[in-house]
Amino acid sequence: MNVFKTLLLILKWYAMNPRLVFLAHLVLASVSLAQFNFSFPDCANGPLKSTIVCNTAKDAATRAHALIQMFTDEELIRNTDNVSPGVPRLGIPPYQWWSEALHGVAGSPGVTFASSGNFSSATSFPQPIVLGASFDMELVKAAATVTSTEARAFNNAGRAGLDFFTPNINPFKDPRWGRGQETPGEDPFLTSQYVVNLIDGLQGGISPHPYYKVAADCKHFAAYDLENWEGINRSDFDAKVSLQDLSEYYLPSFQSCVRDAKVTSVMCSFNSVNGIPACANSYLLQNVLRDFWGFGDDRWVVSDCDAVENIFNTHNFTKSLAEAAADALKAGTDIDCGTTYSTHLPEALTQSLITRADLEKALTRQYISLIRLGYFDPPESQPYRQLGWSDVNKPEAENLAYRAAVEGLVLIKNNGLLPLPTTDRLAIIGPYTNATTAMQGNYFGAAPFVVTPLQGAIAAGFQVLSAHGTDVDGTSYSGFEEATEIAKSVDVIVFVGGIDHTIEDEAKDRLNITWPGNQLDLIRQLAALGKPIVVVQFGGGQVDDSDLLASDAVHAVIWAGYPGQSGGAAIFDMIAGKVAPAGRLTTTQYPGEYVDQIAMTDMSLRPSAINPGRTYKWYTGKPVVEFGHGLHFTTFQFSWKKRPRTHYNIQQVIESVSGRAPLDLAILDTFQVSVQNTGQVVSDYVALLFLSGSAGPTPHPLKSLVAFSRAHDVEPGSSSTVDLKVTLGAVARADERGNLWLFGGSYRLVLDVGEGVLTHEFILTGADACILHWPQDPSM
């Protein structure tokens, strides 16, 4: 066993301790660089120079097929793992398929940062949960464009691959999920819009020609949102999901990623879905992914790391590892992130569990992708091959990371205190006072800098005293005295706390969703001083703010998530009024007792006798803070720019868009809203349009987000018009078989949350019509 494979086994152990995962990635990355160096095939002078694969006049499929025919059976099998040794006799260099770029180029087996100087850092954007809260899809695309530019620069320096295992687009259904921070939120429509724009920016367009910028990977397919909860682990969990919920909630983001954004690759998940491990699930990987969504042989599927091994070892789905490898390969998993394929496919081939044709299909898909990335082509003919260190951490990238942090901030509460004059003296207290990498969340890279909350307060012009006060989830109260002492001499207390990677992370789900008790105890002690308090809440998952919202001493609450390299600057520029808040929560904030009302393993969404309902669409209780909530420093008035229609005939609508497949993306109507700033502060405004109705199968969702848009820099006294395009798919509902229908009946549109600020009612007339036939699962 070589050094790299030994370290992969160590990584499995590290995965049981979430905080060691990143360290393991760094160790593996250094080995991968030494072993592979990410060189390119030599089509000018090497053994391949006169072969078809180097002929740029041929199409990618022809080139890849010709190359694969030169491989021996052993060479095919050796290159089915993410640690691909290449084929030295053909001049094909080794390649590491596992690089990361969740919110900027990130440390991983395929990415290495220099200790100093060139390539020692990359732009670190806020976590996706914060980018989602901006509801600004142009911003998402711009951040992805910067990330892919920097990723290409790293690749050209031999420090990264050409494909990146990002984004995570599983909907953030359960507030306890440790990886919810990696997603844009709980709503499938928001996530679908997010992923289309993100893939556009990462890959350099939708099906760009002639070259892809980088290859993105949508993960984790499918129904994955449990790490390790109450002894149940992601590697052996069987997610029981109805076709209705798959179609309506768990898979729309993947449909948008694959069908609409044309992503290059998809990662199958650890868990089983309805009794079959995801990476051996031909219904998911063939019937849905390839047959229904058109994921062709120019694109590939990779397993989550060790998920192929788990088919046998934890799911007990097969009688041997050879059978597990064969089942995964034949189901459509082309690359094993692990070593099960290279170790056990030889016996699978010997036992006729697979054929050479199965191996050729998987390898052809891989190399078509590399060809479309320019892997075999002359560097002088490719603009992306010219990118270098001068294209990393550019001023415009730094400005974009700051803007993203600002736009993602959510003002949850403000009793007239904010914004503060910079003449106020502040006490910055709490575990995030001097936070650096904690501001980045998980799957992060080395940032060029991280502005801490303390640094941000000073830079904003405040006079500041500071104290750590307490740890995120500690039991020591030794810092309370220092914190309360400095707070006595200031005008305003800013408490910076919440949760971090020690509470939520990969391989770590939460058992509760309340504020850590030690932090609340300190806030209560500070409140006794009679000074106004601002609480800045960090973390991807929401915590129950009931105590803070009820406290007269807490005048303001700001949710900051994991705001990235410029987080401290963004937070205190907002507190000082240099920028205005306009972000919206993308997850429901539930009361603490929610975790006692439903198990994480319950995948159903609709309320029942044992389920209070999930997400804002179905939750029957009273949320502490609802999805879409977000306050401003100004006031707005709203009106319809033109009077909306009140009747739509289903058959006439479908006939008017016939031939424009797919039907679910066809526009029912565009609703124009005039947004007037009636206050005194320049501000953005996020327009959220929700739909409710009594048509279709019961129970009915309370409401569904069907359109959104962000108006920028609306001046006091002026107006901005937002266009809210509502598609047929947004209005449609899924039946029990997963088919999407337009149902006749009455509907109501509501702008914004709560009681809404603008409403409109309309009727769909005519016969009910199916606009999308969902593929049926033969095993159900």
Side-chain angles (χ1 to χ4, degrees):
M1 181 176 292
N2 65 28
V3 173
F4 198 91
K5 291 186 177 181
T6 301
L7 286 170
L8 278 172
L9 293 176
I10 294 172
L11 179 58
K12 295 180 191 178
W13 177 82
Y14 277 156
M16 300 306 293
N17 185 332
R19 282 316 295 164
L20 295 178
V21 170
F22 182 68
L23 296 177
H25 284 179
L26 293 182
V27 173
L28 288 167
S30 65
V31 174
S32 83
L33 179 64
Q35 186 175 355
F36 299 120
N37 199 32
F38 288 102
S39 57
F40 293 84
D42 185 357
C43 273
N45 304 298
L48 295 173
K49 65 180 180 180
S50 58
T51 63
I52 291 176
V53 73
C54 290
N55 185 347
T56 59
K58 300 289 187 180
D59 65 88
T62 299
R63 296 170 67 183
H65 181 73
L67 174 68
I68 296 309
Q69 297 307 304
M70 301 184 222
F71 285 32
T72 66
D73 290 352
E74 180 184 1
E75 289 165 343
L76 287 172
I77 290 173
R78 290 181 64 204
N79 285 280
T80 53
D81 291 347
N82 68 290
V83 185
S84 175
V87 183
R89 69 178 180 85
L90 296 177
I92 300 174
Y95 186 78
Q96 167 59 271
W97 291 88
W98 183 2
S99 294
E100 298 281 359
L102 180 66
H103 51 113
V105 178
S108 49
V111 175
T112 46
F113 290 88
S115 59
S116 62
N118 292 2
F119 296 100
S120 59
S121 63
T123 305
S124 183
F125 290 97
Q127 273 282 48
I129 195 70
V130 180
L131 289 172
S134 74
F135 284 90
D136 186 343
M137 297 303 103
E138 291 181 0
L139 171 69
V140 168
K141 180 179 176 180
T145 299
V146 168
T147 297
S148 58
T149 294
E150 297 188 354
R152 265 291 184 156
F154 269 71
N155 172 255
N156 291 334
R159 292 185 171 274
L162 287 165
D163 60 278
F164 292 80
F165 291 178
T166 193
N168 181 344
I169 56 169
N170 298 108
F172 192 0
K173 174 197 84 233
D174 194 294
R176 292 162 285 194
W177 185 30
R179 299 185 71 176
Q181 59 179 288
E182 300 174 27
T183 78
E186 70 183 32
D187 182 71
F189 178 76
L190 167 61
T191 305
S192 294
Q193 300 305 304
Y194 172 92
V195 73
V196 168
N197 285 276
L198 189 86
I199 299 304
D200 193 352
L202 287 175
Q203 296 193 164
I206 307 297
S207 293
H209 184 78
Y211 297 112
Y212 276 63
K213 197 175 182 185
V214 301
D217 177 78
C218 283
K219 61 186 185 184
H220 312 79
F221 192 59
Y224 166 55
D225 58 5
L226 179 149
E227 302 298 306
N228 193 345
W229 176 81
E230 299 285 8
I232 300 166
N233 194 277
R234 62 187 182 178
S235 63
D236 55 31
F237 174 55
D238 182 14
K240 301 292 188 182
V241 191
S242 69
L243 288 178
Q244 186 176 44
D245 286 345
L246 277 176
S247 167
E248 191 173 65
Y249 187 75
Y250 291 101
L251 298 189
S253 55
F254 287 95
Q255 176 171 281
S256 296
C257 187
V258 172
R259 186 193 68 181
D260 305 331
K262 312 298 184 187
V263 75
T264 305
S265 68
V266 166
M267 177 183 287
C268 52
S269 57
F270 292 107
N271 55 284
S272 288
V273 179
N274 297 323
I276 303 175
C279 292
N281 196 315
S282 59
Y283 169 69
L284 289 175
L285 299 181
Q286 186 64 47
N287 297 33
V288 176
L289 183 66
R290 294 196 182 275
D291 297 342
F292 186 52
W293 291 336
F295 192 75
D297 283 337
D298 56 344
R299 302 191 262 176
W300 44 272
V301 173
V302 61
S303 75
D304 208 335
C305 298
D306 294 324
V308 172
E309 177 186 331
N310 293 340
I311 293 170
F312 167 72
N313 278 342
T314 57
H315 289 291
N316 300 310
F317 187 72
T318 61
K319 295 179 181 179
S320 68
L321 284 167
E323 288 183 7
D327 281 4
L329 184 70
K330 292 180 77 68
T333 301
D334 304 302
I335 301 173
D336 172 22
C337 185
T339 59
T340 303
Y341 270 6
S342 61
T343 305
H344 295 283
L345 282 178
E347 46 183 310
L349 185 62
T350 300
Q351 297 172 19
S352 298
L353 299 176
I354 61 169
T355 65
R356 178 182 169 92
D358 296 323
L359 294 167
E360 288 183 358
K361 181 186 291 184
L363 269 293
T364 300
R365 289 167 177 170
Q366 295 177 32
Y367 278 97
I368 289 176
S369 173
L370 288 175
I371 289 167
R372 296 171 80 190
L373 287 158
Y375 189 61
F376 291 89
D377 294 1
E380 60 271 13
S381 68
Q382 305 177 54
Y384 298 139
R385 288 286 293 274
Q386 313 311 313
L387 296 171
W389 174 241
S390 62
D391 299 292
V392 180
N393 298 325
K394 298 183 76 170
E396 49 266 41
E398 179 180 329
N399 292 337
L400 189 64
Y402 168 79
R403 177 185 152 201
V406 168
E407 289 198 16
L409 292 173
V410 180
L411 184 59
I412 292 178
K413 176 183 180 180
N414 185 22
N415 288 347
L417 179 68
L418 300 182
L420 297 175
T422 54
T423 53
D424 279 355
R425 293 166 298 159
L426 305 184
I428 312 298
I429 296 170
Y432 269 87
T433 297
N434 290 297
T436 54
T437 55
M439 304 272 281
Q440 296 176 269
N442 63 3
Y443 283 90
F444 62 91
F449 58 84
V450 176
V451 181
T452 69
L454 178 58
Q455 292 169 336
I458 294 170
F462 292 104
Q463 299 178 54
V464 179
L465 297 175
S466 68
H468 182 76
T470 188
D471 292 334
V472 165
D473 195 21
T475 57
S476 173
Y477 288 66
S478 61
F480 281 29
E481 183 176 354
E482 178 193 10
T484 53
E485 191 61 34
I486 70 162
K488 292 176 182 178
S489 61
V490 302
D491 300 307
V492 178
I493 301 165
V494 181
F495 184 85
V496 287
I499 58 177
D500 66 6
H501 59 79
T502 64
I503 292 176
E504 59 169 1
D505 207 344
E506 182 170 359
K508 178 176 285 191
D509 294 318
R510 291 192 283 166
L511 294 178
N512 63 70
I513 53 174
T514 54
W515 269 83
N518 56 308
Q519 294 187 54
L520 281 183
D521 288 343
L522 179 53
I523 292 172
R524 292 187 189 105
Q525 191 164 316
L526 293 170
L529 299 176
K531 305 291 180 73
I533 299 174
V534 176
V535 174
V536 182
Q537 174 186 327
F538 292 88
Q542 288 294 311
V543 288
D544 184 348
D545 282 339
S546 296
D547 286 353
L548 306 182
L549 300 177
S551 172
D552 292 335
V554 177
H555 287 248
V557 178
I558 301 165
W559 178 79
Y562 296 107
Q565 67 184 44
S566 296
I571 292 164
F572 281 91
D573 281 355
M574 193 192 89
I575 288 174
K578 296 180 180 180
V579 293
R584 305 297 192 105
L585 291 186
T586 64
T587 51
T588 301
Q589 188 181 114
Y590 298 95
E593 60 267 23
Y594 181 80
V595 299
D596 300 320
Q597 298 169 348
I598 185 169
M600 278 196 76
T601 51
D602 187 339
M603 303 299 289
S604 61
L605 301 169
R606 290 158 178 77
S608 67
I610 58 172
N611 184 348
R614 292 188 177 277
T615 79
Y616 75 93
K617 290 189 173 190
W618 301 103
Y619 179 52
T620 53
K622 180 175 176 54
V624 178
V625 185
E626 63 183 317
F627 172 94
H629 175 80
L631 304 177
H632 304 87
F633 285 164
T634 189
T635 56
F636 295 99
Q637 286 185 353
F638 309 90
S639 61
W640 298 113
K641 190 72 174 180
K642 63 178 182 179
R643 185 177 179 84
R645 291 175 57 182
T646 57
H647 290 76
Y648 301 87
N649 179 271
I650 293 173
Q651 281 65 48
Q652 290 177 356
V653 167
I654 291 176
E655 185 178 347
S656 69
V657 296
S658 62
R660 305 178 202 172
L663 270 179
D664 57 288
L665 294 183
I667 304 298
L668 172 72
D669 207 342
T670 299
F671 298 88
Q672 292 187 313
V673 175
S674 177
V675 179
Q676 183 181 12
N677 187 340
T678 55
Q680 303 299 315
V681 177
V682 178
S683 179
D684 288 3
Y685 174 77
V686 170
L688 304 178
L689 191 63
F690 295 93
L691 178 74
S692 60
S694 57
T698 58
H700 303 108
L702 300 172
K703 61 180 179 179
S704 298
L705 183 68
V706 294
F708 62 86
S709 182
R710 185 170 182 129
H712 292 280
D713 299 321
V714 186
E715 297 279 348
S718 68
S719 297
S720 179
T721 299
V722 292
D723 293 336
L724 299 169
K725 296 182 179 180
V726 177
T727 64
L728 300 187
V731 176
R733 295 194 54 219
D735 64 17
E736 291 185 354
R737 298 172 66 85
N739 300 319
L740 283 187
W741 290 77
L742 290 178
F743 290 106
S746 299
Y747 294 84
R748 187 170 188 257
L749 291 170
V750 178
L751 183 70
D752 221 322
V753 296
E755 295 300 317
V757 294
L758 196 62
T759 63
H760 174 67
E761 295 184 357
F762 67 89
I763 298 174
L764 288 184
T765 62
D768 300 343
C770 182
I771 63 169
L772 183 147
H773 291 277
W774 190 257
Q776 298 303 293
D777 186 345
S779 68
M780 294 180 69

